[in-house]
Amino acid sequence: MASVTENWQALSTQAKTGLVVGVTLIAGLAVGIAVWAYRPDYQVLFADVAAPDASAMTAELDRLKVPYQLADGGNTILVPREMVYKTRLKVMGKDLPLHGAVGFEVFNNADFGMTEFVQKVNYQRAIQGELTRTILSIEGIASARVHLALPEQGLFKKTTAKPKASITIVTKPNHVLAAEQVSGIQRLVAASVPDIQAADVTVLDQHGVALTRNGGGEAAMESASGMLDAKRSADDYLTRKLSKVLDATFGPGETIATVDVLLNLDQSRVTTEEVLPARSGTQEGSPTGVVVRSRQTVRDNVAAGASAAASSARSGESLSSGSTEADYQVGRRVAQSVTTPGATRRLTVAVVVKNPLSDYQMDKLKEVVGLTVGLNSERGDAIIIHSMNTLGSAAGDRGALERASVEAAGARPVAATPAPARAAVPPAAIWAAAALVMLVLLVWAFLRRGQPRAAGTALTVEERERLLLQVRQWIDTKHEPGPNGGLWERP
């Protein structure tokens, strides 16, 4: 200790300060490493949890006495690493009202004295909660709410109101529900709730925009939006199909293709009725039908004379006469054909190729395009193929063609407003401008030459001798006063 004290006292003030600071830093670093090494490692228990679900989960963790931490603004729940899986199974095994909805677990702890009205309300809550959980399992949906409007049914009274449903959906960022997904949600609700139709299910997004139409099936096809969707779908399908073939042939970006489909959106019903007679009778192939009733009448001829009676007796013929009546019934065939809307009435195809093509290549390309889109000339389909240079030359010659057509018709052409163009500059003007520039430069050089030399500029030997000679001549020259007080030189 004495040596340590002597060494400490022998140190300077700066050395003592540095030693104390160094020891303090080392001790703090050691404590920090120890705390970091022995701190509990928290892992994610649940992520992207809504606020109502996070509240229910944290309450359950408090009841289980499990330490936890919240991150990402309360949307992520963290627990110690060794307790993640065990705690997750415990929490999911509880009947927690997740996603803000209660399912059929509402009947787990039902009271014995529950009234019928409360049971109906709980049953409706359970169906809405189960539908909400099923809809949330669809990819791209962040949250959903289901409302069922179930009319009350009585024992001796049956209401005419139909059950309906409304669903509000909040999608995840950068996700949009397709029309097939919306239709699937409608069918899901219709199959889960008795006496409800898919057309009576309304689906809204988070912006309050209806994702479903007023009608389904034929009603949707007859509506303007249904017609437009059908046409757009047909156009896009054939255009993508044709563009794929052209890109594989000429390369991407070398062609432009478009297909316009004219659909037959009329619905017709044709009923045909045809008579089918039965093939029977004495003659081959004679249509007599089927006998349903037959009547025969016989009459005796008592007014005949003796000669007629004697001749009849000799010949063995009977003196009676009669008639036979028969009713026939034939078959009937009824055929009914229904034409549904959506059939293709006409196709119009336009293709623009970047590079010019020969006539042979153009004909072959028309064959390929026609087979790709299913072109039918008997139906009135049309196809046009041009190259870009042909279109450019046609645009340049359009004015000349219009003037020629007007003159051929004998009419006075209408003066069109010419586009502003740059006037041609004659060569004489160019030479005049060049001469003017040279003249200006020469005048500037002459004026610059007559100006005095700037101060501080050294003179050459010849300039110095010439200047000295001028000064001597000026001194030797005699001057006399002039009439106005000035000097004038006398020779």
Side-chain angles (χ1 to χ4, degrees), residues 184-209:
I185 293 174
Q186 289 181 289
R187 294 185 180 184
L188 170 67
V189 177
S192 303
V193 182
D195 300 331
I196 194 171
Q197 302 295 328
D200 297 330
V201 180
T202 303
V203 182
L204 304 178
D205 60 0
Q206 64 267 29
H207 304 291
V209 179

Side-chain angles (χ1 to χ4, degrees), residues 187-433:
R187 294 185 180 184
L188 170 67
V189 177
S192 303
V193 182
D195 300 331
I196 194 171
Q197 302 295 328
D200 297 330
V201 180
T202 303
V203 182
L204 304 178
D205 60 0
Q206 64 267 29
H207 304 291
V209 179
L211 303 178
T212 55
R213 299 186 178 93
N214 295 330
E218 297 178 357
M221 180 60 93
E222 293 175 357
S223 62
S225 58
M227 297 177 184
L228 183 60
D229 290 344
K231 175 177 172 55
R232 186 186 297 112
S233 178
D235 292 347
D236 294 343
Y237 170 73
L238 292 178
T239 302
R240 289 195 304 267
K241 183 179 179 181
L242 180 58
S243 299
K244 186 177 180 181
V245 174
L246 294 177
D247 291 343
T249 305
F250 297 95
E254 297 294 328
T255 58
I256 301 174
T258 179
V259 180
D260 184 78
V261 183
L262 181 60
L263 298 179
N264 184 10
L265 302 177
D266 299 332
Q267 184 177 2
S268 61
R269 188 186 302 270
V270 179
T271 303
T272 304
E273 185 173 350
E274 183 180 0
V275 177
L276 300 177
R279 296 291 181 179
S280 61
T282 57
Q283 297 180 0
E284 184 68 21
S286 60
T288 58
V290 179
V291 178
V292 295
R293 187 178 60 181
S294 178
R295 183 177 60 184
Q296 186 175 10
T297 304
V298 178
R299 296 190 303 272
D300 295 333
N301 191 357
V302 296
S307 59
S311 61
S312 299
R314 287 193 301 268
S315 60
E317 296 178 355
S318 175
L319 297 177
S320 62
S321 62
S323 61
T324 303
E325 296 180 359
D327 296 338
Y328 297 91
Q329 185 177 7
V330 296
R332 187 180 64 170
R333 180 173 64 187
V334 178
Q336 189 177 32
S337 61
V338 179
T339 303
T340 58
T344 302
R345 180 179 296 178
R346 186 184 179 189
L347 284 178
T348 304
V349 185
V351 180
V352 178
V353 185
K354 184 176 181 180
N355 298 323
L357 300 177
S358 61
D359 295 340
Y360 177 78
Q361 292 175 338
M362 196 72 71
D363 295 338
K364 293 299 180 182
L365 182 58
K366 285 184 179 180
E367 294 180 4
V368 173
V369 172
L371 293 177
T372 301
V373 299
L375 209 67
N376 187 0
S377 58
E378 298 178 357
R379 191 172 51 191
D381 298 348
I383 178 174
I384 297 176
I385 300 178
H386 288 293
S387 59
M388 292 186 180
N389 60 345
T390 304
L391 294 178
S393 60
D397 297 340
R398 183 178 58 185
L401 292 176
E402 291 179 355
R403 289 191 298 270
S405 60
V406 171
E407 292 176 359
R412 184 178 179 182
V414 180
T417 303
R422 181 177 297 176
V425 181
I430 298 177
W431 287 107

Side-chain angles (χ1 to χ4, degrees), residues 79-101:
V79 296
R81 183 174 184 176
E82 62 275 5
M83 303 177 64
V84 171
Y85 302 107
K86 183 178 179 180
T87 306
R88 186 177 296 166
L89 294 176
K90 286 184 178 180
V91 172
M92 296 306 297
K94 302 294 182 180
D95 296 332
L96 299 179
L98 300 180
H99 303 295

